Amino acid sequence: MPGGPLCLVLNAASGHGEAGAAVAEIEQACAAAGRTLQVFAIDKRHPPQQQAGAAVAAAQAGGGIVGVAGGDGTINTVAQATLGSGCAFGVLPQGTFNYFARNHGIPTEMEGALRVLLSQPPQPVQVGLVNDRVFLVNASLGVYAQLLEDREAFKSRYGRNRFVAFGAALRTLFGQHRPWDLRLAWGGEVHSLRTASLFVGNNALQFEQVGVAEGEALEGGSLVAVLVRPMHRLARLGLLLRGAASRLDDAEKVQTLSFRSLDVAPSRGALRRRVKVATDGEVGFMQMPLRFRVAPEPLWLIRPPAVA
């Protein structure tokens, strides 16, 4: 609602004084736009899920919007709380890759993102679910989920940048990985296959960068899965290089498919029930079987007008 409060979830522990400077800039922009600001800071005593819920409740009570300042993982947490609440959702991206914001045309610098957040109307955007857990960018299991764990370990030691992320990817790809025997059901078909990784995407920009043409199906209201067959270490390096060169579709052991609902279960003889699943960069355990699907309702995102 125009003029309603901006109920903003923000990580108070980020940077050296950067959070305070960001709040001051946001307060100034809100004052200029005639909008009040309520900040719900994430810290050791106030975890992300708690603050996201509090922000949604405040936005519902005051006819405002829910905002989040953070990377894709923090954005995911707040989106989970916002979906189905009736509230509009705004993003001030502060991550390394910012796939969600960039995919929807939201500027990655604060001034531009604030201008969009405080002036544009909300528009519906597609959300993915895995066992009812939201993902805005991607969800995965297998090698890709392991890569995210390794990347976070590297970042805690060496800092957060793209070179560190690439180094973590190399370490993951050259490690030992047990393949998965899975049964996949979608569109009335059932297939059993062995894979090193199952990656489900909801972000056209990410697919475009690695060269997966099937990503165009996202525009038609589908999700897209990428399955990688087991391969030796040097072949994994070649796959990484193909992705970096936007040529993943050319890889012989990569299979893609689009769907609105995909059920994933262990094949006969497979014993694993609880599995590590990554959603928008955050890794946790989920119970098999997994159901990946398009959420029945959209997220009402404040974003620039779509370019025809």
mmCIF file of all heavy atoms in Angstrom, residues 143 146-155 158-159 161-175 177 240:
data_model
loop_
_atom_site.group_PDB
_atom_site.id
_atom_site.type_symbol
_atom_site.label_atom_id
_atom_site.label_comp_id
_atom_site.label_asym_id
_atom_site.label_seq_id
_atom_site.Cartn_x
_atom_site.Cartn_y
_atom_site.Cartn_z
ATOM 1 N N VAL A 143 26.234 -33.244 -5.818
ATOM 2 C CA VAL A 143 27.496 -32.508 -5.914
ATOM 3 C C VAL A 143 27.291 -31.013 -5.711
ATOM 4 O O VAL A 143 28.087 -30.351 -5.036
ATOM 5 C CB VAL A 143 28.177 -32.778 -7.270
ATOM 6 C CG1 VAL A 143 29.408 -31.891 -7.430
ATOM 7 C CG2 VAL A 143 28.586 -34.240 -7.375
ATOM 8 N N GLN A 146 26.977 -30.137 -2.118
ATOM 9 C CA GLN A 146 28.287 -30.252 -1.472
ATOM 10 C C GLN A 146 29.170 -29.061 -1.818
ATOM 11 O O GLN A 146 29.916 -28.552 -0.982
ATOM 12 C CB GLN A 146 28.970 -31.554 -1.897
ATOM 13 C CG GLN A 146 30.302 -31.805 -1.202
ATOM 14 C CD GLN A 146 30.165 -31.912 0.303
ATOM 15 O OE1 GLN A 146 29.321 -32.669 0.790
ATOM 16 N NE2 GLN A 146 30.953 -31.159 1.050
ATOM 17 N N LEU A 147 29.077 -28.610 -3.065
ATOM 18 C CA LEU A 147 29.859 -27.447 -3.488
ATOM 19 C C LEU A 147 29.512 -26.229 -2.636
ATOM 20 O O LEU A 147 30.402 -25.457 -2.244
ATOM 21 C CB LEU A 147 29.578 -27.164 -4.969
ATOM 22 C CG LEU A 147 30.386 -26.046 -5.647
ATOM 23 C CD1 LEU A 147 30.507 -26.341 -7.144
ATOM 24 C CD2 LEU A 147 29.742 -24.677 -5.462
ATOM 25 N N LEU A 148 28.234 -26.045 -2.329
ATOM 26 C CA LEU A 148 27.834 -24.894 -1.518
ATOM 27 C C LEU A 148 28.392 -24.981 -0.108
ATOM 28 O O LEU A 148 28.813 -23.968 0.465
ATOM 29 C CB LEU A 148 26.309 -24.805 -1.481
ATOM 30 C CG LEU A 148 25.642 -24.480 -2.816
ATOM 31 C CD1 LEU A 148 24.131 -24.539 -2.677
ATOM 32 C CD2 LEU A 148 26.073 -23.123 -3.325
ATOM 33 N N GLU A 149 28.410 -26.186 0.455
ATOM 34 C CA GLU A 149 29.013 -26.354 1.788
ATOM 35 C C GLU A 149 30.500 -26.025 1.743
ATOM 36 O O GLU A 149 31.026 -25.331 2.624
ATOM 37 C CB GLU A 149 28.808 -27.784 2.272
ATOM 38 C CG GLU A 149 27.442 -28.053 2.862
ATOM 39 C CD GLU A 149 27.428 -29.285 3.745
ATOM 40 O OE1 GLU A 149 28.004 -30.310 3.339
ATOM 41 O OE2 GLU A 149 26.858 -29.212 4.839
ATOM 42 N N ASP A 150 31.205 -26.530 0.728
ATOM 43 C CA ASP A 150 32.638 -26.245 0.597
ATOM 44 C C ASP A 150 32.879 -24.751 0.375
ATOM 45 O O ASP A 150 33.845 -24.185 0.906
ATOM 46 C CB ASP A 150 33.223 -27.050 -0.563
ATOM 47 C CG ASP A 150 33.265 -28.543 -0.282
ATOM 48 O OD1 ASP A 150 33.106 -28.926 0.898
ATOM 49 O OD2 ASP A 150 33.437 -29.324 -1.237
ATOM 50 N N ARG A 151 32.000 -24.112 -0.398
ATOM 51 C CA ARG A 151 32.166 -22.683 -0.669
ATOM 52 C C ARG A 151 32.044 -21.865 0.607
ATOM 53 O O ARG A 151 32.828 -20.934 0.837
ATOM 54 C CB ARG A 151 31.111 -22.227 -1.683
ATOM 55 C CG ARG A 151 31.334 -20.787 -2.175
ATOM 56 C CD ARG A 151 30.309 -20.411 -3.198
ATOM 57 N NE ARG A 151 29.005 -20.155 -2.592
ATOM 58 C CZ ARG A 151 27.896 -19.928 -3.281
ATOM 59 N NH1 ARG A 151 27.924 -19.970 -4.599
ATOM 60 N NH2 ARG A 151 26.757 -19.680 -2.664
ATOM 61 N N GLU A 152 31.081 -22.208 1.468
ATOM 62 C CA GLU A 152 30.936 -21.473 2.719
ATOM 63 C C GLU A 152 32.146 -21.675 3.632
ATOM 64 O O GLU A 152 32.578 -20.756 4.318
ATOM 65 C CB GLU A 152 29.650 -21.903 3.432
ATOM 66 C CG GLU A 152 28.390 -21.411 2.758
ATOM 67 C CD GLU A 152 28.401 -19.914 2.529
ATOM 68 O OE1 GLU A 152 28.599 -19.170 3.519
ATOM 69 O OE2 GLU A 152 28.229 -19.480 1.381
ATOM 70 N N ALA A 153 32.701 -22.901 3.623
ATOM 71 C CA ALA A 153 33.898 -23.157 4.425
ATOM 72 C C ALA A 153 35.075 -22.328 3.916
ATOM 73 O O ALA A 153 35.846 -21.759 4.706
ATOM 74 C CB ALA A 153 34.245 -24.647 4.381
ATOM 75 N N PHE A 154 35.215 -22.245 2.586
ATOM 76 C CA PHE A 154 36.287 -21.437 1.996
ATOM 77 C C PHE A 154 36.091 -19.954 2.323
ATOM 78 O O PHE A 154 37.054 -19.249 2.658
ATOM 79 C CB PHE A 154 36.321 -21.633 0.473
ATOM 80 C CG PHE A 154 37.278 -22.688 0.013
ATOM 81 C CD1 PHE A 154 37.251 -23.968 0.548
ATOM 82 C CD2 PHE A 154 38.210 -22.410 -0.974
ATOM 83 C CE1 PHE A 154 38.128 -24.942 0.122
ATOM 84 C CE2 PHE A 154 39.101 -23.378 -1.402
ATOM 85 C CZ PHE A 154 39.060 -24.650 -0.856
ATOM 86 N N LYS A 155 34.851 -19.487 2.224
ATOM 87 C CA LYS A 155 34.601 -18.068 2.467
ATOM 88 C C LYS A 155 34.895 -17.680 3.911
ATOM 89 O O LYS A 155 35.361 -16.569 4.186
ATOM 90 C CB LYS A 155 33.148 -17.733 2.118
ATOM 91 C CG LYS A 155 32.877 -17.659 0.631
ATOM 92 C CD LYS A 155 31.418 -17.326 0.365
ATOM 93 C CE LYS A 155 31.142 -17.184 -1.115
ATOM 94 N NZ LYS A 155 29.713 -16.886 -1.388
ATOM 95 N N TYR A 158 38.800 -17.463 3.718
ATOM 96 C CA TYR A 158 39.513 -16.616 2.757
ATOM 97 C C TYR A 158 38.740 -15.380 2.314
ATOM 98 O O TYR A 158 39.256 -14.574 1.542
ATOM 99 C CB TYR A 158 39.874 -17.442 1.519
ATOM 100 C CG TYR A 158 40.661 -18.697 1.844
ATOM 101 C CD1 TYR A 158 40.124 -19.957 1.586
ATOM 102 C CD2 TYR A 158 41.932 -18.622 2.405
ATOM 103 C CE1 TYR A 158 40.830 -21.113 1.889
ATOM 104 C CE2 TYR A 158 42.647 -19.782 2.702
ATOM 105 C CZ TYR A 158 42.087 -21.017 2.443
ATOM 106 O OH TYR A 158 42.793 -22.157 2.746
ATOM 107 N N GLY A 159 37.491 -15.216 2.777
ATOM 108 C CA GLY A 159 36.715 -14.050 2.369
ATOM 109 C C GLY A 159 35.688 -14.394 1.302
ATOM 110 O O GLY A 159 35.672 -15.493 0.752
ATOM 111 N N ASN A 161 34.377 -13.699 -2.236
ATOM 112 C CA ASN A 161 34.506 -13.159 -3.584
ATOM 113 C C ASN A 161 34.428 -14.303 -4.594
ATOM 114 O O ASN A 161 34.422 -15.479 -4.231
ATOM 115 C CB ASN A 161 35.811 -12.357 -3.754
ATOM 116 C CG ASN A 161 37.047 -13.203 -3.523
ATOM 117 O OD1 ASN A 161 37.301 -14.170 -4.250
ATOM 118 N ND2 ASN A 161 37.825 -12.845 -2.501
ATOM 119 N N ARG A 162 34.383 -13.975 -5.863
ATOM 120 C CA ARG A 162 34.172 -14.974 -6.911
ATOM 121 C C ARG A 162 35.360 -15.921 -7.061
ATOM 122 O O ARG A 162 35.195 -17.089 -7.420
ATOM 123 C CB ARG A 162 33.873 -14.274 -8.239
ATOM 124 C CG ARG A 162 32.549 -13.518 -8.216
ATOM 125 C CD ARG A 162 32.361 -12.678 -9.468
ATOM 126 N NE ARG A 162 31.177 -11.831 -9.360
ATOM 127 C CZ ARG A 162 29.960 -12.181 -9.766
ATOM 128 N NH1 ARG A 162 29.779 -13.373 -10.317
ATOM 129 N NH2 ARG A 162 28.933 -11.370 -9.639
ATOM 130 N N PHE A 163 36.563 -15.448 -6.791
ATOM 131 C CA PHE A 163 37.748 -16.308 -6.921
ATOM 132 C C PHE A 163 37.742 -17.383 -5.834
ATOM 133 O O PHE A 163 38.109 -18.539 -6.088
ATOM 134 C CB PHE A 163 39.024 -15.468 -6.848
ATOM 135 C CG PHE A 163 39.172 -14.500 -7.984
ATOM 136 C CD1 PHE A 163 38.946 -13.149 -7.789
ATOM 137 C CD2 PHE A 163 39.514 -14.949 -9.257
ATOM 138 C CE1 PHE A 163 39.061 -12.249 -8.842
ATOM 139 C CE2 PHE A 163 39.632 -14.050 -10.313
ATOM 140 C CZ PHE A 163 39.405 -12.704 -10.101
ATOM 141 N N VAL A 164 37.330 -17.018 -4.637
ATOM 142 C CA VAL A 164 37.210 -18.000 -3.561
ATOM 143 C C VAL A 164 36.148 -19.030 -3.920
ATOM 144 O O VAL A 164 36.330 -20.233 -3.709
ATOM 145 C CB VAL A 164 36.868 -17.299 -2.234
ATOM 146 C CG1 VAL A 164 36.517 -18.325 -1.158
ATOM 147 C CG2 VAL A 164 38.045 -16.441 -1.762
ATOM 148 N N ALA A 165 35.028 -18.568 -4.475
ATOM 149 C CA ALA A 165 33.961 -19.484 -4.873
ATOM 150 C C ALA A 165 34.448 -20.460 -5.940
ATOM 151 O O ALA A 165 34.120 -21.654 -5.917
ATOM 152 C CB ALA A 165 32.766 -18.691 -5.390
ATOM 153 N N PHE A 166 35.259 -19.969 -6.894
ATOM 154 C CA PHE A 166 35.786 -20.842 -7.948
ATOM 155 C C PHE A 166 36.752 -21.873 -7.363
ATOM 156 O O PHE A 166 36.740 -23.044 -7.751
ATOM 157 C CB PHE A 166 36.489 -20.008 -9.026
ATOM 158 C CG PHE A 166 36.905 -20.808 -10.226
ATOM 159 C CD1 PHE A 166 35.978 -21.211 -11.172
ATOM 160 C CD2 PHE A 166 38.239 -21.167 -10.407
ATOM 161 C CE1 PHE A 166 36.362 -21.951 -12.278
ATOM 162 C CE2 PHE A 166 38.629 -21.904 -11.508
ATOM 163 C CZ PHE A 166 37.689 -22.293 -12.448
ATOM 164 N N GLY A 167 37.591 -21.447 -6.405
ATOM 165 C CA GLY A 167 38.501 -22.387 -5.754
ATOM 166 C C GLY A 167 37.756 -23.476 -5.010
ATOM 167 O O GLY A 167 38.140 -24.657 -5.053
ATOM 168 N N ALA A 168 36.660 -23.104 -4.346
ATOM 169 C CA ALA A 168 35.843 -24.103 -3.652
ATOM 170 C C ALA A 168 35.226 -25.074 -4.634
ATOM 171 O O ALA A 168 35.133 -26.281 -4.371
ATOM 172 C CB ALA A 168 34.753 -23.404 -2.844
ATOM 173 N N ALA A 169 34.817 -24.571 -5.798
ATOM 174 C CA ALA A 169 34.230 -25.445 -6.817
ATOM 175 C C ALA A 169 35.246 -26.471 -7.308
ATOM 176 O O ALA A 169 34.909 -27.652 -7.495
ATOM 177 C CB ALA A 169 33.719 -24.605 -7.988
ATOM 178 N N LEU A 170 36.489 -26.049 -7.493
ATOM 179 C CA LEU A 170 37.526 -26.987 -7.925
ATOM 180 C C LEU A 170 37.742 -28.081 -6.887
ATOM 181 O O LEU A 170 37.875 -29.263 -7.221
ATOM 182 C CB LEU A 170 38.843 -26.239 -8.185
ATOM 183 C CG LEU A 170 38.889 -25.355 -9.424
ATOM 184 C CD1 LEU A 170 40.229 -24.640 -9.499
ATOM 185 C CD2 LEU A 170 38.671 -26.185 -10.696
ATOM 186 N N ARG A 171 37.780 -27.697 -5.627
ATOM 187 C CA ARG A 171 37.974 -28.694 -4.562
ATOM 188 C C ARG A 171 36.834 -29.718 -4.566
ATOM 189 O O ARG A 171 37.057 -30.912 -4.434
ATOM 190 C CB ARG A 171 38.058 -27.998 -3.215
ATOM 191 C CG ARG A 171 38.138 -28.976 -2.047
ATOM 192 C CD ARG A 171 38.278 -28.278 -0.724
ATOM 193 N NE ARG A 171 38.248 -29.226 0.386
ATOM 194 C CZ ARG A 171 38.434 -28.910 1.645
ATOM 195 N NH1 ARG A 171 38.673 -27.650 1.967
ATOM 196 N NH2 ARG A 171 38.384 -29.809 2.588
ATOM 197 N N THR A 172 35.604 -29.217 -4.714
ATOM 198 C CA THR A 172 34.455 -30.122 -4.709
ATOM 199 C C THR A 172 34.507 -31.079 -5.887
ATOM 200 O O THR A 172 34.302 -32.295 -5.734
ATOM 201 C CB THR A 172 33.145 -29.320 -4.763
ATOM 202 O OG1 THR A 172 33.113 -28.394 -3.677
ATOM 203 C CG2 THR A 172 31.943 -30.254 -4.663
ATOM 204 N N LEU A 173 34.784 -30.562 -7.056
ATOM 205 C CA LEU A 173 34.755 -31.387 -8.262
ATOM 206 C C LEU A 173 35.821 -32.472 -8.264
ATOM 207 O O LEU A 173 35.641 -33.530 -8.873
ATOM 208 C CB LEU A 173 34.895 -30.501 -9.507
ATOM 209 C CG LEU A 173 33.698 -29.589 -9.792
ATOM 210 C CD1 LEU A 173 33.977 -28.710 -10.990
ATOM 211 C CD2 LEU A 173 32.439 -30.407 -10.024
ATOM 212 N N PHE A 174 36.927 -32.232 -7.575
ATOM 213 C CA PHE A 174 37.996 -33.232 -7.549
ATOM 214 C C PHE A 174 37.899 -34.167 -6.345
ATOM 215 O O PHE A 174 38.755 -35.008 -6.129
ATOM 216 C CB PHE A 174 39.364 -32.542 -7.576
ATOM 217 C CG PHE A 174 39.769 -32.115 -8.957
ATOM 218 C CD1 PHE A 174 39.499 -30.841 -9.408
ATOM 219 C CD2 PHE A 174 40.382 -33.008 -9.822
ATOM 220 C CE1 PHE A 174 39.855 -30.441 -10.677
ATOM 221 C CE2 PHE A 174 40.742 -32.622 -11.104
ATOM 222 C CZ PHE A 174 40.473 -31.333 -11.541
ATOM 223 N N GLY A 175 36.829 -34.033 -5.556
ATOM 224 C CA GLY A 175 36.624 -34.921 -4.419
ATOM 225 C C GLY A 175 35.904 -36.200 -4.821
ATOM 226 O O GLY A 175 35.525 -36.414 -5.978
ATOM 227 N N HIS A 177 32.649 -38.576 -4.753
ATOM 228 C CA HIS A 177 31.207 -38.375 -4.649
ATOM 229 C C HIS A 177 30.476 -39.663 -4.992
ATOM 230 O O HIS A 177 30.666 -40.224 -6.075
ATOM 231 C CB HIS A 177 30.745 -37.253 -5.592
ATOM 232 C CG HIS A 177 31.419 -35.943 -5.344
ATOM 233 N ND1 HIS A 177 31.134 -35.165 -4.243
ATOM 234 C CD2 HIS A 177 32.381 -35.291 -6.038
ATOM 235 C CE1 HIS A 177 31.884 -34.084 -4.274
ATOM 236 N NE2 HIS A 177 32.649 -34.132 -5.354
ATOM 237 N N LEU A 240 32.833 -28.053 -15.626
ATOM 238 C CA LEU A 240 32.913 -26.730 -15.010
ATOM 239 C C LEU A 240 33.318 -25.678 -16.039
ATOM 240 O O LEU A 240 32.745 -24.578 -16.094
ATOM 241 C CB LEU A 240 33.923 -26.754 -13.856
ATOM 242 C CG LEU A 240 34.165 -25.427 -13.134
ATOM 243 C CD1 LEU A 240 32.902 -24.955 -12.432
ATOM 244 C CD2 LEU A 240 35.307 -25.556 -12.130
#
